[in-house]
Amino acid sequence: MSETNQRSATIAVLVENEAGVLARVIGLFSGRGYNIDSLTVAPVDETGRISRITVVTSGTEMVIEQIKAQLDRLVPVHKVSDLSLEGPHLTRELALIKVVAQGDDRVEALRLADAFRARVVDATTESFVFEMTGNAEKIDAFCALMRPIGLAEVSRTGAVAIARGTRHIAA
Amino acid sequence: MSAITTPAPATTDLRPGAEVILQALKEQGVEVIFGYPGGSVLPIYDALFQQNAIRHILVRHEQAAVHAAEGYARSTGKVGVVLVTSGPGATNAVTGLVDALLDSIPLVCLTGQVPTHLIGNDAFQEADTTGITRPATKHNYLVKRSEDLSRTVHEAFHVARSGRPGPVVIDLPKDILIKPAPYTEAPPASVPHRSYRPQVEPDAARIKEAVALLKGAKRPVIYAGGGVINAGPEASRLLGEFTHMTGMPCTNTLMGLGAFPASDPHFLGMLGMHGTVEANLAMHGCDVMLNIGARFDDRVTGRLDKFSPDSKKIHADIDPSSINKNVKVDVAIVGDAGRTLAALIEAWKADSAAQDKEALAGWWQQIKEWRAKDCLAYKQQGPIIKPQHAVKRLFEITREMGRETIISTEVGQHQMWAAQYFGFDKPNRWLTSGGLGTMGYGLPAAMGAQIANPDALCIDIAGEASILMNIQEMGTLAQYRLPVKVFILNNEYMGMVRQWQELLHGGRYSESYSAALPDFVKLAESFHAKGLRAENADQLDSVIREMIAHPGPVIADILVAKDENCFPMIPSGAAHNEMILGPDQEGNARSVTDEGKVLV
């Protein structure tokens, strides 16, 4: 294939909230050898019938077109939207980050957390749990800084994304 | 949680789930089910026993039930229906389901399941059927609530037959089959599905672009596939009309054979790995290609970076994911093949631009030169029957007799010879496992076709190795008095494996010899069928005639040349203009590159 340029794509998929729908999406990626960099899912409408899957993937333009077409032909899929292509969008991820430290390191941890706008959601005399939201790079940077201080555990949601402005997608 | 949630209907008419299923099948127009009973589906078998509207055909293996339903579906255009039990019943069906998925055959497969309260407990004959069949089907359902039962059956038929057709599984826990359930009628076609809405009508702007390209073409080619057959016989008629009004050459894929009449002078023959020289060179040398209902399969394109290098490509397909998957195209048309052809015909008439008739005549002159190579020529000399000759005589004799003939095949050399030497002038007469390449497909497929077409001559062109993969279905033929003919090209080898070993692996025939074969004549007789054998060329015609004349099932064991190879052949990793021709031809034979050996 002539195209070799890879790009990252953030794809929003609105699906019928039914048993097995996540397995269909994940199976599609593994079965066809596509990358999943991150994947999140939760119901998003008031009745709980529609779920939104946000998947961050990468590949050549041809592969990303394939991923979208393959997702779109799954029976319970309502809508597939390539946020990276369709205009400016926001991406956010939530992380809970546990740091175990004593003495001056605790002060340093709090100072950095302040700079990154991370909130302390749990504290003991030997530990903190920070909550932060941001894009993946911001969370990566925070974790990197915490590593020498005493980064013990990280839990991340993966990316959720939405278009800026009035553009919106509906099932 | 279940796939479909149905509000409880006002009616209080409740009947056992199994009866509700049969009622839904009847409403969907089902006349025949291919199946095999077992513990978890006994309630359905009990309900079947107490009615006469739906006929059940008892197969001997669940894989054969699915292939039989495929044969039924492909020869009629209807949805094939399968009924199997839980666990091994369902897992045995999986090969057939994947076969139907790859060849886009509409099927609904009902699988039994252990009762809902036992699901996940490793119960007897429990398998995670929806998990296993998720990548094997177009869609699948597990029904956990009685009120969802009939709606699920109706939706399954809609999904199976619409858009790009495919197999759909409904997994049915035994308690759901017994518990009283309400019946909901199928929704009218005007009510769209919540999320599944395949695009059927082609976009008018794309049609215009396509016509503009085709009008300006100097060396056009139409490349039509199974999508035209799936779109119904009218689509095949429109393909003929469009080809003739434009004066263009037309080639068919393996799946598309019969979509365009083989006897038509505009037909170039099949294209691809074992396609004709004229079809492949026309694909390679064209300046505008119209692909309608085909998917640029690797067996068709050969080496992708050398595939039809100088052409503008138009691709019409009902499945958007088939477009730009392997080959980047210039004009993409999403829609049903029949509607697309109708729109192309209309737009062609409305477009005032003139065709370059002179260029087209020059292109036909070139095609004539390629045709003159007569790439399918072979020499039948002496007593040893050439397999090509056996197929050719079978074709000629059935054509003389003028009977409606449906051909199925197994997989391998015999399949390619059947595709090359048996001419199909109409759609739905050619049943072959194209995508998955399933040995053991042909006999049950012929069986299903014979059920649907009791007066047709249904012949399974087989190899001696493939036929043994579902030979047990001879029992089904006997039970239902199905006069299917099994025409075995017996070369005592898994011929295509042997051919590749000869061409790619230094003639080391590892495990490809068919040792310890049964006596096929006696085997036929033991299954209450007629057994015939042709050992030399003089016997061939009389065996074929006797086989056809016999009113019941027949196995004709045709002993053919053991070392014959199937040509022309585009070796793996080669382009359309790098074909290997037969030994009697002036060829451009080349060895296979290491890169090519990796490919299958």
Side-chain angles (χ1 to χ4, degrees):
Chain A
M1 235 150 290
S2 52
E3 285 185 64
T4 48
N5 286 343
Q6 300 258 329
R7 79 161 168 104
S8 173
T10 302
I11 299 170
V13 192
L14 292 179
V15 300
E16 196 72 9
N17 184 17
E18 62 181 39
V21 66
L22 189 58
R24 285 182 210 285
V25 170
I26 292 171
L28 175 67
F29 277 78
S30 63
R32 292 185 181 267
Y34 307 142
N35 302 313
I36 298 181
D37 296 328
S38 130
L39 187 144
T40 66
V41 57
V44 288
D45 72 330
E46 67 281 7
T47 60
R49 286 187 70 167
I50 304 288
S51 283
R52 180 170 173 134
I53 296 173
T54 307
V55 55
V56 181
T57 181
S58 54
T60 62
E61 199 52 57
M62 217 162 153
V63 167
I64 289 169
E65 283 307 310
Q66 258 301 295
I67 291 173
K68 289 187 281 184
Q70 293 288 351
L71 284 168
D72 206 26
R73 78 182 188 141
L74 294 176
V75 170
V77 167
H78 285 271
K79 185 114 191 159
V80 177
S81 183
D82 186 346
L83 294 168
S84 336
L85 265 197
E86 290 166 12
H89 66 281
L90 299 165
T91 303
R92 288 291 180 274
E93 187 174 350
L94 173 74
L96 295 171
I97 297 148
K98 182 172 285 183
V99 176
V100 176
Q102 271 109 30
D104 288 348
D105 281 347
R106 289 173 62 80
V107 180
E108 181 65 5
L110 284 174
R111 219 171 52 77
L112 287 167
D114 195 40
F116 276 75
R117 297 206 180 92
R119 289 200 306 138
V120 177
V121 289
D122 178 71
T124 68
T125 54
E126 288 162 14
S127 69
F128 291 114
V129 174
F130 296 108
E131 173 199 305
M132 73 182 298
T133 58
N135 58 28
E137 292 75 35
K138 178 181 166 189
I139 295 168
D140 289 344
F142 184 70
C143 292
L145 289 170
M146 286 297 168
R147 196 156 289 121
I149 295 170
L151 182 73
E153 191 178 342
V154 181
S155 179
R156 298 169 67 155
T157 58
V160 292
I162 202 161
R164 285 185 183 271
T166 54
R167 270 187 312 118
H168 61 280
I169 54 176
Chain B
M1 201 177 359
S2 126
I4 298 167
T5 42
T6 313
T11 165
T12 49
D13 178 22
L14 300 177
R15 278 176 302 149
E19 287 180 28
V20 166
I21 289 169
L22 291 190
Q23 189 179 347
L25 295 180
K26 277 177 222 165
E27 195 188 329
Q28 291 294 334
V30 175
E31 293 166 358
V32 182
I33 295 179
F34 300 90
Y36 203 104
S40 69
V41 284
L42 283 175
I44 300 184
Y45 276 87
D46 202 34
L48 276 170
F49 189 83
Q50 299 175 55
Q51 55 86 52
N52 287 316
I54 297 176
R55 184 177 178 206
H56 179 273
I57 303 296
L58 175 67
V59 296
R60 300 302 188 263
H61 187 289
E62 290 89 349
Q63 183 195 349
V66 187
H67 293 326
E70 287 186 88
Y72 181 91
R74 291 176 77 160
S75 64
T76 61
K78 296 184 198 163
V79 178
V81 182
V82 179
L83 171 59
V84 297
T85 195
S86 63
T91 57
N92 275 345
V94 169
T95 299
L97 293 170
V98 181
D99 192 273
L101 181 70
L102 285 191
D103 285 349
S104 310
I105 309 303
L107 295 185
V108 169
C109 177
L110 308 174
T111 57
Q113 184 53 277
V114 300
T116 44
H117 69 275
L118 284 180
I119 289 178
N121 279 10
D122 298 325
F124 177 64
Q125 291 198 327
E126 181 184 0
D128 174 9
T129 300
T130 47
I132 291 168
T133 61
R134 201 170 287 126
T137 54
K138 180 172 174 183
H139 195 53
N140 63 17
Y141 303 89
L142 169 62
V143 181
K144 283 183 153 181
R145 302 188 334 157
S146 297
E147 52 270 41
D148 297 335
L149 201 48
S150 47
R151 275 277 300 274
T152 305
V153 174
H154 295 314
E155 183 176 310
F157 275 82
H158 173 64
V159 170
R161 68 162 77 94
S162 60
R164 178 174 178 180
V168 177
V169 160
I170 309 176
D171 203 23
L172 298 161
K174 191 171 185 182
D175 53 329
I176 297 292
L177 300 178
I178 295 168
K179 260 198 288 192
Y183 185 75
T184 319
E185 283 177 9
S190 55
V191 177
H193 186 271
R194 275 175 61 80
S195 55
Y196 167 77
R197 296 169 191 179
Q199 185 180 340
V200 177
E201 285 301 334
D203 186 286
R206 297 290 92 75
I207 294 285
K208 266 192 141 171
E209 284 176 46
V211 166
L213 268 181
L214 289 163
K215 278 259 164 114
K218 294 180 188 310
R219 303 184 309 279
V221 70
I222 298 171
Y223 146 45
V228 178
I229 301 207
N230 275 338
E234 174 65 5
S236 294
R237 194 193 65 73
L238 291 168
L239 176 64
E241 187 181 331
F242 185 71
T243 306
H244 285 125
M245 75 188 282
T246 58
M248 294 175 184
C250 180
T251 175
N252 281 164
T253 65
L254 180 70
M255 293 299 298
L257 293 178
F260 192 81
S263 57
D264 190 301
H266 285 258
F267 189 55
L268 300 181
M270 181 175 75
L271 81 166
M273 185 174 268
H274 293 290
T276 63
V277 165
E278 51 271 35
N280 286 334
L281 291 184
M283 289 288 283
H284 190 80
C286 68
D287 68 342
V288 178
M289 174 190 298
L290 170 63
N291 168 349
I292 183 136
R295 58 185 175 93
F296 292 111
D297 176 79
D298 59 77
R299 280 295 179 277
V300 156
T301 61
R303 185 172 172 163
L304 271 176
D305 59 1
K306 290 189 178 176
F307 173 69
S308 193
D310 303 318
S311 63
K312 293 274 185 202
K313 297 174 185 74
I314 303 159
H315 187 185
D317 204 297
I318 188 105
D319 177 6
S321 75
S322 282
I323 295 173
N324 290 330
K325 181 171 69 178
N326 304 327
V327 171
K328 192 105 186 121
V329 298
D330 301 281
V331 179
I333 303 170
V334 176
D336 169 83
R339 308 275 180 98
T340 302
L341 282 160
L344 284 170
I345 289 168
E346 212 169 295
W348 181 274
K349 286 180 187 160
D351 189 298
S352 55
Q355 252 183 308
D356 187 344
K357 293 269 165 92
E358 204 176 317
L360 189 61
W363 178 230
W364 272 111
Q365 191 52 43
Q366 171 67 72
I367 289 169
K368 237 174 241 167
E369 282 168 35
W370 290 329
R371 259 185 188 156
K373 267 187 183 283
D374 196 9
C375 66
L376 294 178
Y378 60 86
K379 287 194 184 113
Q380 173 63 45
Q381 287 168 325
I384 298 173
I385 303 169
K386 288 259 187 179
Q388 300 94 320
H389 186 62
V391 175
K392 197 168 186 196
R393 286 307 296 152
L394 180 68
F395 169 53
E396 288 165 350
I397 292 170
T398 54
R399 193 177 47 182
E400 274 166 33
M401 300 175 80
R403 270 184 70 183
E404 190 73 81
T405 305
I406 299 174
I407 298 291
S408 70
T409 73
E410 310 288 332
V411 169
Q413 283 184 322
H414 68 272
Q415 177 190 28
M416 292 299 114
W417 285 316
Q420 291 172 332
Y421 295 94
F422 207 102
F424 297 92
D425 281 349
K426 290 184 197 161
N428 307 101
R429 269 73 168 177
W430 166 245
L431 320 172
T432 197
S433 172
L436 193 62
T438 310
M439 293 169 73
Y441 171 86
L443 174 53
M447 202 163 88
Q450 188 78 77
I451 294 279
N453 306 272
D455 299 326
L457 175 60
C458 295
I459 305 173
D460 171 27
I461 298 180
E464 85 291 336
S466 279
I467 192 63
L468 290 178
M469 283 214 184
N470 269 322
I471 193 70
Q472 77 286 343
E473 297 308 318
M474 290 301 295
T476 312
L477 297 187
Q479 181 177 344
Y480 296 96
R481 301 174 194 276
L482 300 173
V484 168
K485 319 301 178 195
V486 180
F487 189 75
I488 302 176
L489 302 181
N490 184 347
N491 59 6
E492 294 182 27
Y493 276 104
M494 297 160 206
M496 196 58 92
V497 173
R498 194 207 58 77
Q499 177 169 342
W500 281 51
Q501 287 172 334
E502 179 186 325
L503 298 175
L504 277 79
H505 297 278
R508 293 177 293 280
Y509 298 128
S510 180
E511 302 294 330
S512 54
Y513 182 66
S514 293
L517 282 172
D519 178 331
F520 284 108
V521 172
K522 285 186 186 160
L523 185 145
E525 286 163 359
S526 75
F527 274 111
H528 320 289
K530 190 174 187 68
L532 298 169
R533 181 172 292 127
E535 295 180 33
N536 64 57
D538 293 343
Q539 299 164 336
L540 180 65
D541 280 18
S542 60
V543 164
I544 291 174
R545 287 182 202 283
E546 196 180 345
M547 172 183 90
I548 295 170
H550 183 71
V554 179
I555 293 180
D557 185 18
I558 312 296
L559 306 188
V560 298
K562 296 189 200 313
D563 53 1
E564 194 67 19
N565 285 333
C566 186
F567 293 120
M569 178 179 181
I570 301 176
S572 304
H576 276 176
N577 59 343
E578 299 171 314
M579 269 168 284
I580 302 179
L581 301 178
D584 302 332
Q585 307 258 345
E586 278 178 43
N588 48 352
R590 58 191 283 286
S591 57
V592 175
T593 60
D594 282 348
E595 202 185 333
K597 279 186 193 171
V598 180
L599 305 170
V600 289

